[in-house]
Amino acid sequence: MRNGRLQIIPLGGLGEIGKNCMAVRCGNDIVVIDCGLMFPEEELLGIDVVIPDVSYLVENRQMVRAIVLTHGHEDHIGALPYVLPQLNVPVYGTRLTLGLLEGKLEEQLPGFKADLRVVKPRDVVECGCFKVEFIRVSHSIPDAVAVALHTPLGVVLHTGDFKVDHTPVDGELIDFHRLAQLGERGVLVLLSDSTNAEHTGYTMSERVVGETFDEVFRRSRGRVIIATFATNIHRVQQAILVAQRYGRKVAVAGRSMVNVVSIAHKLGYLNLPQGVMVELEEANRLPRHQVAILTTGSQGEPMSALTRMATGEFKQLEIIPGDTIIISAVPIPGNEKLVARVVDQLFKRGAMVLYEAVSAVHVSGHPCQEELKLMINLTRPRYFIPVHGEYRMLIRHAELARELGLRPENIFVAENGQIIEITPKGGRFAGRVSAGRVLVDGLGVGDVGNIVLRDRKQLAQDGILIVVVALSQETGQVVAGPDVISRGFVYVREAEALMEEVKAQVRAILDRCIERKSLEWATIKSEVRETLSRFLYERTRRRPMILPIIMGV
Amino acid sequence: MRNGRLQIIPLGGLGEIGKNCMAVRCGNDIVVIDCGLMFPEEELLGIDVVIPDVSYLVENRQMVRAIVLTHGHEDHIGALPYVLPQLNVPVYGTRLTLGLLEGKLEEQLPGFKADLRVVKPRDVVECGCFKVEFIRVSHSIPDAVAVALHTPLGVVLHTGDFKVDHTPVDGELIDFHRLAQLGERGVLVLLSDSTNAEHTGYTMSERVVGETFDEVFRRSRGRVIIATFATNIHRVQQAILVAQRYGRKVAVAGRSMVNVVSIAHKLGYLNLPQGVMVELEEANRLPRHQVAILTTGSQGEPMSALTRMATGEFKQLEIIPGDTIIISAVPIPGNEKLVARVVDQLFKRGAMVLYEAVSAVHVSGHPCQEELKLMINLTRPRYFIPVHGEYRMLIRHAELARELGLRPENIFVAENGQIIEITPKGGRFAGRVSAGRVLVDGLGVGDVGNIVLRDRKQLAQDGILIVVVALSQETGQVVAGPDVISRGFVYVREAEALMEEVKAQVRAILDRCIERKSLEWATIKSEVRETLSRFLYERTRRRPMILPIIMGV
């Protein structure tokens, strides 16, 4: 590619919430911003996680100078254990971000040597023709940064995830001054977080949650149990300090909470005052009003500590009347019913439950419309690309930019894989690279495709009916069977008569075939499939998968 | 049962949203209020609808005097096509309610003779020792009523679904005066709608939506397409009148919209001004600014008209830039992602989409906390039972009642099947009747149970692997196979090596068994299952269903 040409190539995070990944190319240098995963939608049956298709990067690996990370959330770093083995380039990030990544890599790729390079806000590193600068922002995890790519054509500013918190828990403000400086000198392209672009107003400060915690602790006579994302270390910090204020000891439950608290403490992001933290066993021996518990499961995840407490399966801690439980999160779209079920189960155990619908127990980590406007006005970009959001959110964010006076032809609402090319003459869509989703199921990365998913869907809906018959290879006569086995279709004991009818249908088909001497197995199978499919739909209005198996003996 | 004793027995709608069904028994008379269905939660794979277990009613059929209906929504009448054949008692309801029920019965039970009896608000009918009175309420369907059962012990008042709309579209106010009269004389038990008990304030009038429609029609230069629940006839009415006001013709798309508009018009609940309604084909020939379309699919239902428009599969109408689409509904919990996807797809076609998150295009049909308080204070019940809601909503509603001064021991937060017994001495829980859910899958009612669902779940997650082998019945030797077939597990062409390993494992097991002369088929099968299960989990981290089939030849 000629110099004087800049390409911005989203590989994930546009038209969706998750698997954020953005490539920026200038000449023969590529820098990648973030490489996250996404949790599968309901219809991706059996899939564990979804990662971006990075074949464009792998094919151009000799140009990829670095992966730079904005913060340590799964949707920004979670694909790296799958991607780094194919693309082991330097990874830049702040200390906490790389600390969390290191933990992931140790767990998922023991022994793998990644080239992790710690940076601080306002640091600048050189990656090919790019100077990459890190700029502090507020978010629901500490040590989050925006990334400014200084390129020969101008500055490309990617906000990462951010919010404007004027009273941050750790005192570290979003770096308004550097953003303003860049804006004053001229930003070429702004890529900005669209997650909350549908919401008017502004996002409340994280401190609001601390005030709610204070109020709850002040009034509670029993234990207080707080479920939140482990990586929301500011919130964890506030909970611990409030607990201490009211003379409570804090115990931690749930694997990721234990892990993250330990990493954040080790790296100095979490202040654990002496004598406050206790083991769960000790907490169980203390008077109820002296106990607070921090735990995972704020999304109603079936295997999480809170969900198991709600169902009575968490052995180390039993929910009892008098407990107050704070679910300090908002359900991620798709998790509403899971969270609601956990709330109901906790209520049934006699606990008081405070959750997002009824109490100020959560604030977002993303910017609402007024903050988005501030970011645009502060940085005054020539080109604008809304990122991190489903399509309607990108559209809304683009509208906001137009309302602030950006020229419509300089605003690009793009899809993953679309190349946005910027030259001194202007910007335009300039083709596509391959992009999309790669499904991870167990150890298989990308081996579950549409056929497997289609089969799983049919199996999930109406089960399977298997017909087995042994035919003589010499005479074509039936030697054994037909046997009929079903799973997930009907409860067999209640449907014996139906199964007998199925067998009779198969026998009739076999007789006809033998009579006609048409003993092509493929023909027999397709006739069995069609006949049974029609017959079973008529009798049950269900469409199980029908699998005829012929053994030649 | 002795007289002087009243039993209130919820058979559905408590601890859940849907399948509302309430039995009230006094002496040997039972009256049933509503008999609705529920749409299945995600994990009920392949299930079409869920209906209440009414075995208590069927077992006591000689006592059941009537089923009385509060309104015509599916979650209040939808189980009747399954229940009436077992329990063909008189069904009382207002004209629209029975009109909708009649349509359902004709479709699902052609030829069935139900005993449907039309009533009007303030009518009183005798059913055994009960006098059943119908009292007008506002709701998101016309002709909704509360039910007052005058019993020897006092009045049991069931609100049905309601809201307080001071400016109803049809001018028919909730019957405050009759409710106040009953309260003045003394209501024994109040059963009240808890759907919105978590929400403070009050629900806006349906007219607000009409105002939004007016604003949208005034500004739109292209077509306006409105998706809403067909049964929300007031909303349909407002849309039609606004369309007429702005010189547009209205066409109707989607089966249930066509049906309900026709029934409501025939029964006089919908005013269709002359010349306004046109066929879809005619609408397609008119200038865009003279067209409005009413359609279904406000929940993102995959087969609905709106969803098919969004995906380009609705042949009679193509979405084009300039169209304005109003999704006049709030997603029912669980449907959020479906609706969001439809919104995104419509935006991608260049349409402007107005939906609940960004515009006042919907109001609820249920009462918020201030309306709930009004209902309690107006009727001044001695006993209070929150109904229609998930557990946390019932709890919140019960709290409200306590805040208004009801005695805690007179408030019953119950589960389906629990008997609440009221005598002159007091109220108490008095045991249980069988209650729960009956799953409908195709033509099967109740034949899909836990085993089938568990199998469907496993099949959905990781598919199935089938091993077939033919063994000689005389010698026990392998005559054919082992063959291995998988579906929904791995894409076979990419996993041939794995399948060869599976076969080798099975051969080894068979050899061992033949050597040890342990040719019990059950033993061989369980060994195959265990060995392959371990092997496949180790190699893939997946747990397909493993189905060994042995043919004796």
Side-chain angles (χ1 to χ4, degrees), chain A residues 41 43 45-46 198 337 340-341 344 355 392 441 443 447 451 456 460-461 466 488 491 540 542 547 549, chain B residues 41 43 45-46 198 337 341 344 355 392 441 443 447 451 456 460-461 466 480 485 488 491 540 542 547:
Chain A
E41 319 234 301
E43 70 265 26
L45 293 168
E198 295 173 293
K337 294 211 124 185
R341 193 173 305 165
D344 283 347
Y355 51 103
R392 64 195 177 283
D441 181 4
L443 297 181
D447 70 330
I451 294 174
R456 284 184 185 173
Q461 285 295 307
I466 300 158
Y491 184 50
T540 66
R542 299 179 196 169
L547 195 64
I549 301 176
Chain B
E41 320 235 300
E43 72 266 26
L45 293 168
E198 295 173 294
K337 294 210 125 182
R341 191 173 307 165
D344 284 346
Y355 51 103
R392 64 195 178 284
D441 180 5
L443 296 181
D447 69 330
I451 294 174
R456 285 183 184 173
Q461 286 295 308
I466 300 158
I485 300 141
Y491 184 49
T540 65
R542 299 178 198 171
L547 196 64

Short mmCIF file of all heavy atoms in Angstrom, two decimals, chain A residues 41 43 45-46 198 337 340-341 344 355 392 441 443 447 451 456 460-461 466 488 491 540 542 547 549, chain B residues 41 43 45-46 198 337 341 344 355 392 441 443 447 451 456 460-461 466 480 485 488 491 540 542 547:
data_model
loop_
_atom_site.label_atom_id
_atom_site.label_comp_id
_atom_site.label_asym_id
_atom_site.label_seq_id
_atom_site.Cartn_x
_atom_site.Cartn_y
_atom_site.Cartn_z
N GLU A 41 -24.56 -15.80 21.51
CA GLU A 41 -26.00 -15.63 21.57
C GLU A 41 -26.64 -17.02 21.75
O GLU A 41 -26.03 -18.04 21.44
CB GLU A 41 -26.53 -15.02 20.28
CG GLU A 41 -25.64 -13.92 19.72
CD GLU A 41 -26.40 -12.65 19.48
OE1 GLU A 41 -27.37 -12.67 18.71
OE2 GLU A 41 -26.06 -11.63 20.12
N GLU A 43 -28.65 -18.76 20.15
CA GLU A 43 -28.82 -19.73 19.08
C GLU A 43 -27.51 -20.42 18.69
O GLU A 43 -27.52 -21.34 17.88
CB GLU A 43 -29.48 -19.09 17.84
CG GLU A 43 -28.61 -18.12 17.10
CD GLU A 43 -28.86 -16.70 17.57
OE1 GLU A 43 -29.29 -16.53 18.72
OE2 GLU A 43 -28.64 -15.78 16.79
N LEU A 45 -25.78 -22.85 19.76
CA LEU A 45 -25.93 -23.92 20.75
C LEU A 45 -24.59 -24.59 21.05
O LEU A 45 -23.88 -25.02 20.15
CB LEU A 45 -26.93 -24.94 20.24
CG LEU A 45 -28.37 -24.43 20.12
CD1 LEU A 45 -29.23 -25.42 19.34
CD2 LEU A 45 -28.97 -24.19 21.49
N GLY A 46 -24.29 -24.69 22.33
CA GLY A 46 -23.10 -25.42 22.76
C GLY A 46 -21.79 -24.65 22.61
O GLY A 46 -20.74 -25.16 23.00
N GLU A 198 -27.65 5.31 23.00
CA GLU A 198 -29.11 5.49 23.01
C GLU A 198 -29.59 6.26 24.24
O GLU A 198 -30.75 6.65 24.31
CB GLU A 198 -29.81 4.12 23.02
CG GLU A 198 -29.58 3.31 21.77
CD GLU A 198 -30.16 1.91 21.92
OE1 GLU A 198 -29.63 1.13 22.74
OE2 GLU A 198 -31.12 1.58 21.23
N LYS A 337 -33.35 -12.94 32.33
CA LYS A 337 -34.14 -13.98 32.99
C LYS A 337 -33.30 -14.74 34.01
O LYS A 337 -33.81 -15.15 35.06
CB LYS A 337 -34.70 -14.96 31.95
CG LYS A 337 -35.71 -14.30 31.04
CD LYS A 337 -36.73 -15.29 30.58
CE LYS A 337 -38.11 -14.76 30.94
NZ LYS A 337 -39.17 -15.71 30.65
N ALA A 340 -33.14 -12.51 37.05
CA ALA A 340 -34.44 -12.46 37.72
C ALA A 340 -34.68 -13.74 38.52
O ALA A 340 -35.20 -13.70 39.64
CB ALA A 340 -35.55 -12.25 36.70
N ARG A 341 -34.27 -14.86 37.97
CA ARG A 341 -34.49 -16.13 38.66
C ARG A 341 -33.69 -16.18 39.96
O ARG A 341 -34.18 -16.62 40.98
CB ARG A 341 -34.11 -17.29 37.73
CG ARG A 341 -34.59 -18.61 38.24
CD ARG A 341 -34.36 -19.70 37.23
NE ARG A 341 -34.96 -19.37 35.94
CZ ARG A 341 -34.66 -20.01 34.81
NH1 ARG A 341 -33.78 -21.00 34.81
NH2 ARG A 341 -35.24 -19.67 33.68
N ASP A 344 -35.34 -14.03 42.57
CA ASP A 344 -36.51 -14.72 43.13
C ASP A 344 -36.11 -15.80 44.13
O ASP A 344 -36.69 -15.94 45.20
CB ASP A 344 -37.35 -15.33 42.01
CG ASP A 344 -38.18 -14.27 41.28
OD1 ASP A 344 -38.28 -13.15 41.81
OD2 ASP A 344 -38.71 -14.57 40.20
N TYR A 355 -31.50 -4.90 43.81
CA TYR A 355 -31.02 -5.14 42.44
C TYR A 355 -31.33 -3.90 41.62
O TYR A 355 -32.02 -2.99 42.05
CB TYR A 355 -31.64 -6.42 41.87
CG TYR A 355 -33.14 -6.49 41.98
CD1 TYR A 355 -33.96 -6.25 40.88
CD2 TYR A 355 -33.74 -6.79 43.20
CE1 TYR A 355 -35.33 -6.30 40.98
CE2 TYR A 355 -35.12 -6.84 43.31
CZ TYR A 355 -35.90 -6.60 42.20
OH TYR A 355 -37.27 -6.64 42.32
N ARG A 392 -27.86 -0.08 15.74
CA ARG A 392 -28.69 1.09 16.07
C ARG A 392 -27.94 2.08 16.97
O ARG A 392 -28.20 3.28 16.94
CB ARG A 392 -30.00 0.65 16.72
CG ARG A 392 -29.82 -0.04 18.05
CD ARG A 392 -31.06 -0.79 18.52
NE ARG A 392 -30.77 -1.47 19.78
CZ ARG A 392 -30.07 -2.58 19.86
NH1 ARG A 392 -29.59 -3.17 18.78
NH2 ARG A 392 -29.82 -3.14 21.03
N ASP A 441 -15.67 -24.05 20.83
CA ASP A 441 -16.46 -25.04 21.57
C ASP A 441 -15.48 -26.03 22.17
O ASP A 441 -14.87 -26.81 21.45
CB ASP A 441 -17.43 -25.74 20.62
CG ASP A 441 -18.30 -26.77 21.35
OD1 ASP A 441 -18.20 -26.87 22.59
OD2 ASP A 441 -19.08 -27.47 20.67
N LEU A 443 -12.24 -27.52 23.11
CA LEU A 443 -10.90 -27.29 22.56
C LEU A 443 -10.96 -26.93 21.09
O LEU A 443 -9.93 -26.62 20.49
CB LEU A 443 -10.03 -28.54 22.74
CG LEU A 443 -9.75 -28.96 24.19
CD1 LEU A 443 -8.86 -30.18 24.22
CD2 LEU A 443 -9.08 -27.82 24.94
N ASP A 447 -14.07 -25.16 14.48
CA ASP A 447 -14.49 -26.40 13.84
C ASP A 447 -15.99 -26.61 13.88
O ASP A 447 -16.52 -27.52 13.25
CB ASP A 447 -13.77 -27.62 14.44
CG ASP A 447 -14.24 -27.90 15.86
OD1 ASP A 447 -14.63 -26.95 16.55
OD2 ASP A 447 -14.21 -29.07 16.28
N ILE A 451 -23.25 -26.36 9.65
CA ILE A 451 -23.90 -27.67 9.60
C ILE A 451 -24.08 -28.23 11.00
O ILE A 451 -25.17 -28.68 11.38
CB ILE A 451 -23.07 -28.65 8.74
CG1 ILE A 451 -23.07 -28.16 7.28
CG2 ILE A 451 -23.62 -30.07 8.84
CD1 ILE A 451 -22.16 -28.96 6.38
N ARG A 456 -27.55 -29.23 15.67
CA ARG A 456 -27.84 -29.04 17.10
C ARG A 456 -29.21 -28.41 17.29
O ARG A 456 -29.93 -28.74 18.22
CB ARG A 456 -26.76 -28.15 17.74
CG ARG A 456 -25.47 -28.88 17.96
CD ARG A 456 -24.44 -28.01 18.68
NE ARG A 456 -23.18 -28.72 18.76
CZ ARG A 456 -22.05 -28.19 19.21
NH1 ARG A 456 -22.04 -26.94 19.64
NH2 ARG A 456 -20.95 -28.91 19.26
N ALA A 460 -32.16 -30.04 19.28
CA ALA A 460 -32.67 -29.34 20.46
C ALA A 460 -34.19 -29.22 20.38
O ALA A 460 -34.88 -29.31 21.39
CB ALA A 460 -32.05 -27.95 20.55
N GLN A 461 -34.72 -28.98 19.20
CA GLN A 461 -36.16 -28.75 19.05
C GLN A 461 -36.96 -30.03 19.21
O GLN A 461 -37.93 -30.08 19.94
CB GLN A 461 -36.45 -28.17 17.66
CG GLN A 461 -36.06 -26.72 17.51
CD GLN A 461 -36.88 -25.83 18.41
OE1 GLN A 461 -38.09 -25.88 18.39
NE2 GLN A 461 -36.23 -25.03 19.25
N ILE A 466 -33.60 -42.79 15.36
CA ILE A 466 -32.62 -43.58 14.62
C ILE A 466 -33.25 -44.91 14.23
O ILE A 466 -33.89 -45.57 15.06
CB ILE A 466 -31.38 -43.83 15.50
CG1 ILE A 466 -30.75 -42.49 15.91
CG2 ILE A 466 -30.35 -44.70 14.77
CD1 ILE A 466 -29.91 -42.57 17.15
N GLY A 488 -34.90 -37.50 22.97
CA GLY A 488 -35.34 -36.12 22.92
C GLY A 488 -36.55 -35.90 22.03
O GLY A 488 -36.89 -34.77 21.69
N TYR A 491 -41.15 -39.53 25.04
CA TYR A 491 -40.75 -40.43 26.09
C TYR A 491 -41.19 -41.83 25.68
O TYR A 491 -42.37 -42.11 25.51
CB TYR A 491 -41.37 -40.02 27.42
CG TYR A 491 -40.89 -40.88 28.56
CD1 TYR A 491 -39.53 -41.10 28.75
CD2 TYR A 491 -41.79 -41.46 29.43
CE1 TYR A 491 -39.08 -41.89 29.78
CE2 TYR A 491 -41.35 -42.24 30.48
CZ TYR A 491 -40.00 -42.46 30.65
OH TYR A 491 -39.55 -43.26 31.68
N THR A 540 -47.47 -36.12 15.25
CA THR A 540 -47.01 -35.41 16.46
C THR A 540 -46.81 -33.92 16.25
O THR A 540 -46.63 -33.19 17.21
CB THR A 540 -45.66 -35.98 16.93
OG1 THR A 540 -44.66 -35.69 15.93
CG2 THR A 540 -45.73 -37.48 17.16
N ARG A 542 -44.15 -32.75 15.14
CA ARG A 542 -42.74 -32.53 15.48
C ARG A 542 -41.89 -33.02 14.32
O ARG A 542 -42.33 -33.84 13.54
CB ARG A 542 -42.37 -33.32 16.75
CG ARG A 542 -43.17 -32.88 17.94
CD ARG A 542 -42.82 -33.66 19.20
NE ARG A 542 -43.89 -33.45 20.17
CZ ARG A 542 -44.04 -34.12 21.30
NH1 ARG A 542 -43.17 -35.05 21.63
NH2 ARG A 542 -45.05 -33.86 22.10
N LEU A 547 -32.52 -40.54 11.27
CA LEU A 547 -31.20 -41.04 10.88
C LEU A 547 -31.31 -42.54 10.58
O LEU A 547 -31.33 -43.35 11.50
CB LEU A 547 -30.22 -40.79 12.03
CG LEU A 547 -28.74 -40.91 11.71
CD1 LEU A 547 -28.33 -39.84 10.70
CD2 LEU A 547 -27.93 -40.74 12.98
N ILE A 549 -29.81 -45.98 9.50
CA ILE A 549 -28.48 -46.61 9.44
C ILE A 549 -28.65 -48.03 8.90
O ILE A 549 -29.46 -48.80 9.42
CB ILE A 549 -27.83 -46.68 10.84
CG1 ILE A 549 -27.70 -45.27 11.42
CG2 ILE A 549 -26.46 -47.35 10.76
CD1 ILE A 549 -27.16 -45.27 12.85
N GLU B 41 -39.86 -20.76 28.59
CA GLU B 41 -38.53 -20.21 28.79
C GLU B 41 -37.57 -20.94 27.86
O GLU B 41 -37.85 -22.06 27.40
CB GLU B 41 -38.08 -20.43 30.23
CG GLU B 41 -39.19 -20.20 31.25
CD GLU B 41 -38.78 -19.20 32.29
OE1 GLU B 41 -37.78 -19.44 32.98
OE2 GLU B 41 -39.45 -18.15 32.40
N GLU B 43 -34.99 -22.67 28.21
CA GLU B 43 -34.48 -24.01 28.47
C GLU B 43 -35.50 -25.11 28.20
O GLU B 43 -35.15 -26.29 28.24
CB GLU B 43 -33.89 -24.12 29.88
CG GLU B 43 -34.93 -24.12 30.99
CD GLU B 43 -35.12 -22.71 31.53
OE1 GLU B 43 -34.86 -21.75 30.76
OE2 GLU B 43 -35.52 -22.58 32.68
N LEU B 45 -36.59 -26.67 25.68
CA LEU B 45 -36.25 -26.81 24.26
C LEU B 45 -37.36 -27.48 23.48
O LEU B 45 -37.84 -28.55 23.84
CB LEU B 45 -34.95 -27.61 24.13
CG LEU B 45 -33.70 -26.91 24.68
CD1 LEU B 45 -32.53 -27.88 24.76
CD2 LEU B 45 -33.34 -25.72 23.82
N GLY B 46 -37.76 -26.84 22.40
CA GLY B 46 -38.74 -27.44 21.50
C GLY B 46 -40.18 -27.32 21.96
O GLY B 46 -41.08 -27.74 21.24
N GLU B 198 -42.76 -3.51 40.87
CA GLU B 198 -41.41 -2.97 41.12
C GLU B 198 -41.29 -1.50 40.71
O GLU B 198 -40.29 -0.87 41.02
CB GLU B 198 -40.37 -3.78 40.34
CG GLU B 198 -40.25 -5.22 40.79
CD GLU B 198 -39.34 -6.00 39.86
OE1 GLU B 198 -39.70 -6.18 38.68
OE2 GLU B 198 -38.27 -6.42 40.29
N LYS B 337 -33.26 -9.53 22.85
CA LYS B 337 -32.30 -9.67 21.76
C LYS B 337 -33.00 -9.82 20.41
O LYS B 337 -32.50 -9.34 19.40
CB LYS B 337 -31.39 -10.87 22.02
CG LYS B 337 -30.50 -10.67 23.24
CD LYS B 337 -29.20 -11.41 23.08
CE LYS B 337 -28.07 -10.42 23.25
NZ LYS B 337 -26.76 -11.05 23.06
N ARG B 341 -32.41 -7.18 17.37
CA ARG B 341 -31.93 -7.61 16.07
C ARG B 341 -32.82 -7.07 14.94
O ARG B 341 -32.33 -6.62 13.91
CB ARG B 341 -31.88 -9.15 16.04
CG ARG B 341 -31.14 -9.67 14.84
CD ARG B 341 -30.96 -11.17 14.93
NE ARG B 341 -30.35 -11.56 16.19
CZ ARG B 341 -30.34 -12.82 16.63
NH1 ARG B 341 -30.92 -13.78 15.93
NH2 ARG B 341 -29.75 -13.12 17.78
N ASP B 344 -32.05 -3.41 14.41
CA ASP B 344 -30.80 -3.24 13.66
C ASP B 344 -30.99 -3.54 12.17
O ASP B 344 -30.50 -2.81 11.31
CB ASP B 344 -29.71 -4.16 14.23
CG ASP B 344 -29.14 -3.62 15.53
OD1 ASP B 344 -29.39 -2.45 15.84
OD2 ASP B 344 -28.44 -4.37 16.24
N TYR B 355 -38.31 3.03 18.75
CA TYR B 355 -38.58 1.88 19.63
C TYR B 355 -38.53 2.35 21.06
O TYR B 355 -38.16 3.49 21.35
CB TYR B 355 -37.59 0.75 19.35
CG TYR B 355 -36.14 1.16 19.36
CD1 TYR B 355 -35.32 0.87 20.43
CD2 TYR B 355 -35.59 1.88 18.28
CE1 TYR B 355 -33.99 1.27 20.45
CE2 TYR B 355 -34.28 2.28 18.30
CZ TYR B 355 -33.48 1.98 19.39
OH TYR B 355 -32.18 2.39 19.41
N ARG B 392 -40.40 -11.91 43.17
CA ARG B 392 -39.95 -10.63 43.72
C ARG B 392 -41.02 -9.55 43.56
O ARG B 392 -41.11 -8.61 44.36
CB ARG B 392 -38.64 -10.19 43.07
CG ARG B 392 -38.75 -9.93 41.60
CD ARG B 392 -37.40 -9.84 40.92
NE ARG B 392 -37.60 -9.63 39.49
CZ ARG B 392 -37.98 -10.59 38.63
NH1 ARG B 392 -38.18 -11.82 39.06
NH2 ARG B 392 -38.16 -10.33 37.36
N ASP B 441 -46.02 -29.67 23.09
CA ASP B 441 -45.07 -29.72 21.98
C ASP B 441 -45.80 -30.36 20.80
O ASP B 441 -46.08 -31.55 20.82
CB ASP B 441 -43.84 -30.55 22.39
CG ASP B 441 -42.80 -30.63 21.27
OD1 ASP B 441 -43.00 -29.98 20.22
OD2 ASP B 441 -41.81 -31.36 21.45
N LEU B 443 -48.57 -31.77 18.82
CA LEU B 443 -49.85 -32.31 19.25
C LEU B 443 -49.76 -32.94 20.63
O LEU B 443 -50.77 -33.36 21.19
CB LEU B 443 -50.34 -33.36 18.25
CG LEU B 443 -50.65 -32.85 16.84
CD1 LEU B 443 -51.15 -34.00 15.97
CD2 LEU B 443 -51.68 -31.73 16.87
N ASP B 447 -46.63 -34.86 27.17
CA ASP B 447 -45.83 -36.07 26.95
C ASP B 447 -44.32 -35.77 26.93
O ASP B 447 -43.52 -36.70 26.92
CB ASP B 447 -46.23 -36.79 25.65
CG ASP B 447 -45.84 -36.00 24.41
OD1 ASP B 447 -45.82 -34.76 24.51
OD2 ASP B 447 -45.58 -36.61 23.38
N ILE B 451 -37.04 -36.25 31.10
CA ILE B 451 -36.05 -37.07 30.39
C ILE B 451 -35.86 -36.55 28.97
O ILE B 451 -34.74 -36.35 28.52
CB ILE B 451 -36.49 -38.55 30.37
CG1 ILE B 451 -36.47 -39.08 31.80
CG2 ILE B 451 -35.57 -39.37 29.47
CD1 ILE B 451 -37.03 -40.47 31.93
N ARG B 456 -32.72 -33.43 25.07
CA ARG B 456 -32.64 -32.32 24.11
C ARG B 456 -31.53 -31.35 24.49
O ARG B 456 -30.83 -30.82 23.63
CB ARG B 456 -33.98 -31.56 24.05
CG ARG B 456 -35.04 -32.32 23.31
CD ARG B 456 -36.33 -31.52 23.19
NE ARG B 456 -37.36 -32.33 22.55
CZ ARG B 456 -38.62 -31.98 22.41
NH1 ARG B 456 -39.04 -30.83 22.91
NH2 ARG B 456 -39.48 -32.77 21.81
N ALA B 460 -28.44 -30.49 22.23
CA ALA B 460 -28.25 -29.10 21.81
C ALA B 460 -26.83 -28.63 22.08
O ALA B 460 -26.25 -27.89 21.30
CB ALA B 460 -29.24 -28.19 22.54
N GLN B 461 -26.28 -29.06 23.19
CA GLN B 461 -24.95 -28.59 23.59
C GLN B 461 -23.85 -29.21 22.74
O GLN B 461 -22.99 -28.52 22.23
CB GLN B 461 -24.68 -28.95 25.07
CG GLN B 461 -25.44 -28.10 26.03
CD GLN B 461 -25.01 -26.65 25.99
OE1 GLN B 461 -23.84 -26.34 26.09
NE2 GLN B 461 -25.95 -25.74 25.79
N ILE B 466 -23.09 -41.86 17.47
CA ILE B 466 -23.73 -43.17 17.46
C ILE B 466 -22.71 -44.20 17.00
O ILE B 466 -22.00 -44.00 16.01
CB ILE B 466 -24.94 -43.15 16.50
CG1 ILE B 466 -25.95 -42.10 16.96
CG2 ILE B 466 -25.60 -44.53 16.42
CD1 ILE B 466 -26.87 -41.62 15.86
N ALA B 480 -20.22 -57.01 11.52
CA ALA B 480 -20.06 -55.77 10.74
C ALA B 480 -19.87 -54.62 11.70
O ALA B 480 -20.28 -54.67 12.85
CB ALA B 480 -21.30 -55.53 9.87
N ILE B 485 -21.25 -42.62 13.61
CA ILE B 485 -21.96 -41.51 12.96
C ILE B 485 -22.15 -40.42 14.00
O ILE B 485 -22.55 -40.72 15.14
CB ILE B 485 -23.35 -41.98 12.47
CG1 ILE B 485 -23.19 -43.13 11.46
CG2 ILE B 485 -24.13 -40.83 11.84
CD1 ILE B 485 -24.24 -44.18 11.64
N GLY B 488 -24.13 -32.90 14.98
CA GLY B 488 -24.08 -31.78 15.94
C GLY B 488 -22.89 -31.86 16.88
O GLY B 488 -22.84 -31.13 17.87
N TYR B 491 -17.80 -31.38 12.73
CA TYR B 491 -18.03 -31.50 11.30
C TYR B 491 -17.17 -32.66 10.80
O TYR B 491 -15.95 -32.62 10.86
CB TYR B 491 -17.69 -30.21 10.59
CG TYR B 491 -18.02 -30.26 9.12
CD1 TYR B 491 -19.28 -30.71 8.70
CD2 TYR B 491 -17.09 -29.90 8.16
CE1 TYR B 491 -19.58 -30.77 7.36
CE2 TYR B 491 -17.39 -29.95 6.82
CZ TYR B 491 -18.64 -30.40 6.42
OH TYR B 491 -18.96 -30.47 5.10
N THR B 540 -11.72 -33.21 23.10
CA THR B 540 -12.48 -32.07 22.54
C THR B 540 -13.08 -31.15 23.61
O THR B 540 -13.55 -30.08 23.30
CB THR B 540 -13.67 -32.57 21.68
OG1 THR B 540 -14.59 -33.26 22.55
CG2 THR B 540 -13.19 -33.50 20.58
N ARG B 542 -15.80 -31.74 24.92
CA ARG B 542 -17.24 -31.77 24.66
C ARG B 542 -17.80 -33.09 25.17
O ARG B 542 -17.08 -34.06 25.29
CB ARG B 542 -17.52 -31.65 23.15
CG ARG B 542 -17.01 -30.35 22.58
CD ARG B 542 -17.23 -30.24 21.09
NE ARG B 542 -16.35 -29.20 20.57
CZ ARG B 542 -16.15 -28.94 19.29
NH1 ARG B 542 -16.78 -29.65 18.36
NH2 ARG B 542 -15.33 -28.00 18.93
N LEU B 547 -24.35 -43.07 21.95
CA LEU B 547 -25.42 -44.05 21.81
C LEU B 547 -24.86 -45.29 21.13
O LEU B 547 -24.70 -45.31 19.91
CB LEU B 547 -26.54 -43.42 20.98
CG LEU B 547 -27.89 -44.11 21.01
CD1 LEU B 547 -28.47 -44.07 22.40
CD2 LEU B 547 -28.84 -43.42 20.04
#
